[in-house]
Each structure stands twice: as structure tokens, then as C-alpha cells.
Amino acid sequence: MKLKRAFLNESKGKSGEIALFQAFIRSFNALGSNALAKEYHGSRYQVTFNEGRGAGRLTPRCELCDVMIVHYPSSNASAARITFNQAKVTTNAIGCRRTSIAVGPDSFRANLEQWDLLSNRPSINPATKKFNPPKGLLSGAILPSVGTFGVFYPSGASFDFAYFVASELRPLTNGHSRSGTLQWATPLNMTRSISGHEEVTGTCCLLKFGEALEQNKIGTPIMPLLYGAAGSAQMRAWLTRVLLSLRREHPESQLPNELIKGLEIGSIAEGRNLIIHAGEPSPPRAVILIRT
């Protein structure tokens, strides 16, 4: 409820995807010491990958996401989850107008290459020298909710936020054009289990999104990405650099240190601490850490 109220206030009178995205980032300040939100101005890093939607360019190039969201339960940072979320805006009033067992559908305009990336989760390659993400950042995830969309929609004079797992979205027309309309025709606010891990496939508003965070059902577990079959030293080093950057810029926050300890990357962090200043941490456009 704190998050919902904060975003309603921050988004009042705003318009446009960038302004609403920045209002969304600022709204996490309402959670006090339980959240850390950082926007990297002008940082639109890009990746390349092999297309999987069966149309368009064979090797698309787009940004990884707008915001990387990391959540963990209090006193159990090893259970942390991560999602790479792309923000969009629509004039359609999605809202909580139906029960969880009813089907919409809802739709919004989006980049179909971005949807391909977050939905099909291929191996990725850097498209610039400034961004070096692990190849298996998406493909190594257990849960599809590693790739998601967040859609701002009007709510009175303000806006609300709907959350969708990318793999459950479908383009109305899947052609050569990169621009298209994605449609959600699956019940919202539903939970499913994959490999023993539960995830929410979509939420109708920020209140339900916050509830799903508290239940640890947003995003994919991080530990298997770091140490599972697809885990790699590259993945551990990349996440360590991001957390060290946040720790350096926000020494008052407990969250980066709790994640470094809980995810068992403390030895890497101490080993890299002296050289972290030499390079960019290469995170997405924004990072949000949340403890509930």
C-alpha cells in the first residue's frame, strides 16, 4: 500500500514513458531503508541475440531492460529473486476490474524484439564495449519471470502499474516490423509452480505487485544462476560489481551488503573491491533492491 500510494502521488499529472518510469523509481523511497532505487542516467546499454520469434532481423539489437529488480525476504537474502523488467505505457485502463479467474484481454504497444528477448530468453552478447552482461543471464534462469514487462496505465489523474511475465504475452501481428501490440489473455493474479518454485504470472496493480513481492513470487531465484548448472564465474562477478557499485554510492543502506553475504559472493566482493573503481558496473538503466 505504501508503494501504491507513493506512485499515485509521484505520477499525478505526469505523462510519457520516461516521466512515469522515473516516478516509479522514486516511489520506492516510500519503503525507507527496505528499498534502494538507483537510476543510471543516459545508460541505455544494448545486447544482441539470435531471434526466436520467427520474424524480423536474424540478430536483433536492443536494450536488456529498463530496470533490474532484486527482492529478498528479511533475514534470508539467499532466497533473493531477480527480474529484468521493461517499462511501457498505455492509455488502456487495465485496473482490477475482474477476478483472477477471468481473462482480459489487455494490450499495449511494445518493441517486439524486446519481447522476443525477455520472452524467449536466449543467450545474449554485448553490443557495446560499456556493457558486458553474462551470456546466460536470461537463458540460465529457472523461472520465465526473469523477463517481464511493467505497464503504466491511467488511474484517475494518476497512474497505476500492471506486471506481466513476458512469456505469457503474445503479439497481435508478428511481422517484420519491430513495433507491435502485445496482448495478455491469461488470468491475472495467478500463481504457478515450476521446478518447485512459485511465481506470479501477472498482477493488475501495484498493490497486487507488492503482495507478490512479499510472498517472494516476483522473478527467478538468483542462487541457481550463480551456482546451478548454468552458473558461471562471469555471472557471479557481474552481480558482484553491480552490488559493490550500489554499496559504494549508498553506504547508508544495508541491502547491498546483505545480498553480498546471503548470495555467498563476499570473497569475490573483497577481492574486487580495489579494482571496482576502474570500470563501470554495467547494470541496466536502473536497479531496485527490495527487502520485505
Side-chain angles (χ1 to χ4, degrees):
M1 185 58 74
K2 286 182 180 178
L3 187 60
K4 184 180 180 74
R5 288 173 177 167
F7 185 62
L8 286 173
N9 181 60
E10 290 283 353
S11 64
K12 190 173 183 179
K14 299 291 192 303
S15 64
E17 187 175 301
I18 295 177
L20 290 170
F21 174 74
Q22 293 174 337
F24 178 71
I25 299 298
R26 290 194 303 271
S27 67
F28 283 86
N29 293 328
L31 303 182
S33 61
N34 287 317
L36 172 58
K38 169 71 175 178
E39 182 181 3
Y40 294 86
H41 295 284
S43 300
R44 282 188 172 271
Y45 303 115
Q46 295 182 316
V47 298
T48 62
F49 58 97
N50 294 327
E51 69 87 15
R53 67 185 179 100
R57 296 185 292 179
L58 294 178
T59 307
R61 170 179 171 146
C62 62
E63 60 185 355
L64 174 63
C65 67
D66 280 322
V67 58
M68 180 178 92
I69 302 174
V70 177
H71 163 265
Y72 66 98
S74 179
S75 303
N76 190 14
S78 64
R81 293 195 176 199
I82 189 169
T83 187
F84 297 93
N85 186 269
Q86 186 71 13
K88 304 306 297 181
V89 63
T90 183
T91 57
N92 299 327
I94 297 174
C96 303
R97 62 185 182 276
R98 57 181 182 273
T99 64
S100 61
I101 60 173
V103 175
D106 295 303
S107 62
F108 58 93
R109 298 288 295 175
N111 184 315
L112 296 184
E113 290 183 342
Q114 190 76 52
W115 165 75
D116 184 7
L117 174 68
L118 297 177
S119 174
N120 293 316
R121 309 186 307 280
S123 294
I124 55 177
N125 295 298
T128 72
K129 294 182 179 180
K130 293 183 177 181
F131 188 40
N132 293 289
K135 293 178 68 70
L137 190 59
L138 301 176
S139 60
I142 290 178
L143 299 181
S145 57
V146 69
T148 56
F149 278 82
V151 182
F152 306 120
Y153 65 88
S155 177
S158 299
F159 283 79
D160 211 326
F161 172 88
Y163 163 86
F164 303 105
V165 173
S167 62
E168 302 305 305
L169 292 161
R170 295 291 179 269
L172 292 183
T173 302
N174 186 20
H176 181 74
S177 174
R178 278 172 271 175
S179 180
T181 299
L182 294 175
Q183 185 177 67
W184 178 267
T186 301
L188 288 170
N189 310 318
M190 297 289 285
T191 298
R192 66 183 177 188
S193 179
I194 298 176
S195 300
H197 299 276
E198 290 189 335
E199 68 175 0
V200 169
T201 56
T203 67
C204 58
C205 63
L206 261 177
L207 182 62
K208 292 294 184 181
F209 179 74
E211 289 178 358
L213 280 174
E214 289 185 331
Q215 296 165 8
N216 207 26
K217 296 179 180 179
I218 297 290
T220 193
I222 296 178
M223 287 294 270
L225 279 171
L226 300 178
Y227 303 103
S232 68
Q234 185 189 19
M235 179 69 193
R236 293 190 292 273
W238 180 79
L239 184 58
T240 300
R241 292 190 66 173
V242 173
L243 292 175
L244 281 178
S245 174
L246 290 171
R247 184 176 76 175
R248 188 177 69 248
E249 295 181 32
H250 301 275
E252 77 288 351
S253 177
Q254 301 173 341
L255 308 191
N257 270 335
E258 288 186 355
L259 283 164
I260 288 171
K261 181 179 179 180
L263 296 173
E264 302 176 11
I265 52 178
S267 60
I268 302 175
E270 295 311 313
R272 296 180 64 88
N273 201 25
L274 295 177
I275 63 173
I276 188 69
H277 299 278
E280 292 292 327
S282 68
R285 183 179 165 192
V287 176
I288 300 174
L289 307 182
I290 311 164
R291 176 181 61 194
T292 61

